[in-house]
Short mmCIF file of all heavy atoms in Angstrom, two decimals:
data_model
loop_
_atom_site.label_atom_id
_atom_site.label_comp_id
_atom_site.label_asym_id
_atom_site.label_seq_id
_atom_site.Cartn_x
_atom_site.Cartn_y
_atom_site.Cartn_z
N ASP A 411 5.48 10.42 -4.93
CA ASP A 411 4.85 11.26 -3.90
C ASP A 411 3.58 10.61 -3.35
O ASP A 411 3.27 10.73 -2.17
CB ASP A 411 4.47 12.63 -4.48
CG ASP A 411 5.67 13.41 -4.96
OD1 ASP A 411 6.60 13.61 -4.17
OD2 ASP A 411 5.68 13.81 -6.15
N VAL A 412 2.83 9.94 -4.25
CA VAL A 412 1.54 9.34 -3.86
C VAL A 412 1.44 7.93 -4.43
O VAL A 412 1.60 7.73 -5.64
CB VAL A 412 0.35 10.18 -4.39
CG1 VAL A 412 -0.97 9.59 -3.89
CG2 VAL A 412 0.48 11.64 -3.96
N LEU A 413 1.18 6.97 -3.55
CA LEU A 413 0.92 5.58 -3.95
C LEU A 413 -0.57 5.32 -3.87
O LEU A 413 -1.22 5.68 -2.87
CB LEU A 413 1.66 4.62 -3.03
CG LEU A 413 1.30 3.13 -3.15
CD1 LEU A 413 1.76 2.58 -4.51
CD2 LEU A 413 1.88 2.31 -2.01
N ILE A 414 -1.13 4.70 -4.91
CA ILE A 414 -2.57 4.40 -4.94
C ILE A 414 -2.78 2.93 -5.20
O ILE A 414 -2.32 2.39 -6.22
CB ILE A 414 -3.28 5.21 -6.03
CG1 ILE A 414 -3.02 6.71 -5.86
CG2 ILE A 414 -4.79 4.92 -6.02
CD1 ILE A 414 -3.39 7.53 -7.07
N ASN A 415 -3.48 2.25 -4.30
CA ASN A 415 -3.88 0.88 -4.58
C ASN A 415 -5.22 0.93 -5.31
O ASN A 415 -6.26 1.22 -4.72
CB ASN A 415 -4.04 0.07 -3.29
CG ASN A 415 -4.61 -1.32 -3.57
OD1 ASN A 415 -4.29 -1.93 -4.59
ND2 ASN A 415 -5.48 -1.79 -2.69
N ALA A 416 -5.19 0.67 -6.61
CA ALA A 416 -6.41 0.68 -7.42
C ALA A 416 -6.83 -0.73 -7.79
O ALA A 416 -7.54 -0.95 -8.78
CB ALA A 416 -6.21 1.51 -8.68
N THR A 417 -6.40 -1.71 -6.99
CA THR A 417 -6.82 -3.09 -7.18
C THR A 417 -7.93 -3.43 -6.20
O THR A 417 -8.29 -2.62 -5.34
CB THR A 417 -5.64 -4.07 -6.95
OG1 THR A 417 -5.39 -4.19 -5.53
CG2 THR A 417 -4.38 -3.58 -7.65
N SER A 418 -8.44 -4.65 -6.28
CA SER A 418 -9.48 -5.09 -5.34
C SER A 418 -8.88 -5.82 -4.13
O SER A 418 -9.63 -6.32 -3.28
CB SER A 418 -10.46 -6.03 -6.05
OG SER A 418 -9.79 -7.16 -6.56
N VAL A 419 -7.55 -5.86 -4.05
CA VAL A 419 -6.91 -6.53 -2.92
C VAL A 419 -7.26 -5.79 -1.63
O VAL A 419 -7.00 -4.60 -1.50
CB VAL A 419 -5.37 -6.58 -3.09
CG1 VAL A 419 -4.72 -7.20 -1.85
CG2 VAL A 419 -5.00 -7.38 -4.32
N GLY A 420 -7.86 -6.51 -0.70
CA GLY A 420 -8.29 -5.92 0.56
C GLY A 420 -9.78 -5.72 0.67
O GLY A 420 -10.31 -5.46 1.76
N LEU A 421 -10.50 -5.86 -0.45
CA LEU A 421 -11.95 -5.69 -0.41
C LEU A 421 -12.58 -6.82 0.41
O LEU A 421 -12.48 -7.99 0.04
CB LEU A 421 -12.53 -5.69 -1.83
CG LEU A 421 -14.04 -5.47 -1.94
CD1 LEU A 421 -14.42 -4.11 -1.36
CD2 LEU A 421 -14.49 -5.57 -3.39
N GLY A 422 -13.20 -6.45 1.51
CA GLY A 422 -13.84 -7.43 2.37
C GLY A 422 -12.88 -8.26 3.19
O GLY A 422 -13.28 -9.22 3.85
N ASP A 423 -11.59 -7.94 3.16
CA ASP A 423 -10.58 -8.72 3.87
C ASP A 423 -9.57 -7.76 4.48
O ASP A 423 -8.67 -7.26 3.79
CB ASP A 423 -9.88 -9.69 2.92
CG ASP A 423 -8.89 -10.62 3.62
OD1 ASP A 423 -8.61 -10.39 4.83
OD2 ASP A 423 -8.41 -11.56 2.98
N ALA A 424 -9.69 -7.50 5.77
CA ALA A 424 -8.84 -6.52 6.44
C ALA A 424 -7.39 -6.96 6.54
O ALA A 424 -6.51 -6.14 6.86
CB ALA A 424 -9.38 -6.23 7.84
N GLN A 425 -7.09 -8.24 6.27
CA GLN A 425 -5.72 -8.73 6.38
C GLN A 425 -5.02 -8.82 5.03
O GLN A 425 -3.80 -9.02 4.99
CB GLN A 425 -5.72 -10.11 7.04
CG GLN A 425 -6.41 -10.17 8.40
CD GLN A 425 -5.90 -9.09 9.36
OE1 GLN A 425 -4.70 -8.87 9.49
NE2 GLN A 425 -6.83 -8.40 10.03
N ALA A 426 -5.74 -8.69 3.93
CA ALA A 426 -5.15 -8.83 2.60
C ALA A 426 -4.29 -7.60 2.28
O ALA A 426 -4.75 -6.46 2.41
CB ALA A 426 -6.23 -9.01 1.54
N MET A 427 -3.08 -7.87 1.83
CA MET A 427 -2.12 -6.80 1.56
C MET A 427 -1.61 -6.92 0.14
O MET A 427 -1.22 -8.01 -0.30
CB MET A 427 -0.94 -6.92 2.55
CG MET A 427 0.18 -5.95 2.33
SD MET A 427 -0.17 -4.33 3.03
CE MET A 427 1.41 -3.51 2.73
N PRO A 428 -1.60 -5.84 -0.64
CA PRO A 428 -0.99 -5.91 -1.97
C PRO A 428 0.46 -6.37 -1.86
O PRO A 428 1.14 -6.07 -0.86
CB PRO A 428 -1.06 -4.45 -2.46
CG PRO A 428 -2.18 -3.85 -1.69
CD PRO A 428 -2.14 -4.51 -0.34
N ASP A 429 0.93 -7.08 -2.86
CA ASP A 429 2.26 -7.66 -2.81
C ASP A 429 3.32 -6.59 -3.09
O ASP A 429 3.86 -6.48 -4.20
CB ASP A 429 2.37 -8.80 -3.84
CG ASP A 429 3.67 -9.58 -3.70
OD1 ASP A 429 4.39 -9.36 -2.70
OD2 ASP A 429 3.97 -10.39 -4.60
N ILE A 430 3.59 -5.79 -2.05
CA ILE A 430 4.63 -4.78 -2.14
C ILE A 430 5.57 -4.95 -0.95
O ILE A 430 5.25 -5.63 0.02
CB ILE A 430 4.06 -3.34 -2.14
CG1 ILE A 430 3.39 -3.04 -0.79
CG2 ILE A 430 3.10 -3.13 -3.29
CD1 ILE A 430 3.04 -1.59 -0.58
N ASP A 431 6.73 -4.31 -1.03
CA ASP A 431 7.66 -4.29 0.09
C ASP A 431 7.23 -3.18 1.04
O ASP A 431 7.35 -2.00 0.70
CB ASP A 431 9.09 -4.03 -0.42
CG ASP A 431 10.11 -3.99 0.71
OD1 ASP A 431 9.72 -4.16 1.88
OD2 ASP A 431 11.30 -3.79 0.40
N PRO A 432 6.70 -3.51 2.22
CA PRO A 432 6.23 -2.47 3.14
C PRO A 432 7.30 -1.46 3.51
O PRO A 432 7.00 -0.30 3.78
CB PRO A 432 5.76 -3.26 4.36
CG PRO A 432 5.50 -4.64 3.86
CD PRO A 432 6.52 -4.86 2.78
N ASP A 433 8.56 -1.90 3.51
CA ASP A 433 9.64 -1.00 3.89
C ASP A 433 9.92 0.06 2.82
O ASP A 433 10.68 1.00 3.06
CB ASP A 433 10.92 -1.80 4.17
CG ASP A 433 10.79 -2.64 5.43
OD1 ASP A 433 10.02 -2.24 6.32
OD2 ASP A 433 11.43 -3.70 5.51
N SER A 434 9.31 -0.08 1.63
CA SER A 434 9.47 0.95 0.60
C SER A 434 8.45 2.08 0.76
O SER A 434 8.48 3.05 0.01
CB SER A 434 9.35 0.33 -0.80
OG SER A 434 8.04 -0.18 -1.03
N LEU A 435 7.59 1.95 1.76
CA LEU A 435 6.66 3.03 2.10
C LEU A 435 7.42 4.04 2.95
O LEU A 435 7.78 3.76 4.08
CB LEU A 435 5.45 2.48 2.87
CG LEU A 435 4.60 1.43 2.14
CD1 LEU A 435 3.56 0.85 3.08
CD2 LEU A 435 3.94 2.04 0.91
N ARG A 436 7.68 5.21 2.40
CA ARG A 436 8.52 6.19 3.06
C ARG A 436 7.71 7.15 3.93
O ARG A 436 6.57 7.49 3.61
CB ARG A 436 9.30 7.00 2.03
CG ARG A 436 10.31 6.21 1.21
CD ARG A 436 10.99 7.12 0.19
NE ARG A 436 10.06 7.55 -0.87
CZ ARG A 436 9.47 8.72 -0.90
NH1 ARG A 436 9.64 9.61 0.07
NH2 ARG A 436 8.65 9.04 -1.91
N HIS A 437 8.33 7.62 4.98
CA HIS A 437 7.74 8.65 5.83
C HIS A 437 7.41 9.87 4.99
O HIS A 437 8.24 10.34 4.21
CB HIS A 437 8.71 9.03 6.94
CG HIS A 437 8.15 10.00 7.93
ND1 HIS A 437 8.11 11.36 7.72
CD2 HIS A 437 7.57 9.80 9.14
CE1 HIS A 437 7.55 11.96 8.74
NE2 HIS A 437 7.21 11.04 9.63
N GLY A 438 6.20 10.37 5.11
CA GLY A 438 5.78 11.54 4.35
C GLY A 438 5.08 11.22 3.04
O GLY A 438 4.44 12.09 2.47
N MET A 439 5.21 9.98 2.55
CA MET A 439 4.51 9.57 1.34
C MET A 439 3.01 9.55 1.61
O MET A 439 2.57 9.25 2.73
CB MET A 439 4.99 8.19 0.90
CG MET A 439 4.30 7.62 -0.33
SD MET A 439 4.79 5.88 -0.63
CE MET A 439 6.49 6.08 -1.16
N ILE A 440 2.22 9.88 0.61
CA ILE A 440 0.77 9.73 0.71
C ILE A 440 0.39 8.38 0.14
O ILE A 440 0.79 8.03 -0.97
CB ILE A 440 0.04 10.85 -0.05
CG1 ILE A 440 0.36 12.21 0.58
CG2 ILE A 440 -1.47 10.62 -0.06
CD1 ILE A 440 -0.14 13.39 -0.24
N VAL A 441 -0.36 7.60 0.90
CA VAL A 441 -0.79 6.27 0.47
C VAL A 441 -2.31 6.22 0.48
O VAL A 441 -2.94 6.45 1.52
CB VAL A 441 -0.22 5.16 1.37
CG1 VAL A 441 -0.72 3.79 0.91
CG2 VAL A 441 1.32 5.20 1.36
#
């Protein structure tokens, strides 16, 4: 239901993305 990025990936870098499959982010999921 809810995905939480609790890593430092993205801190100070607007282009850094956690190594996940973006297509697994479902409509209605809370991120």
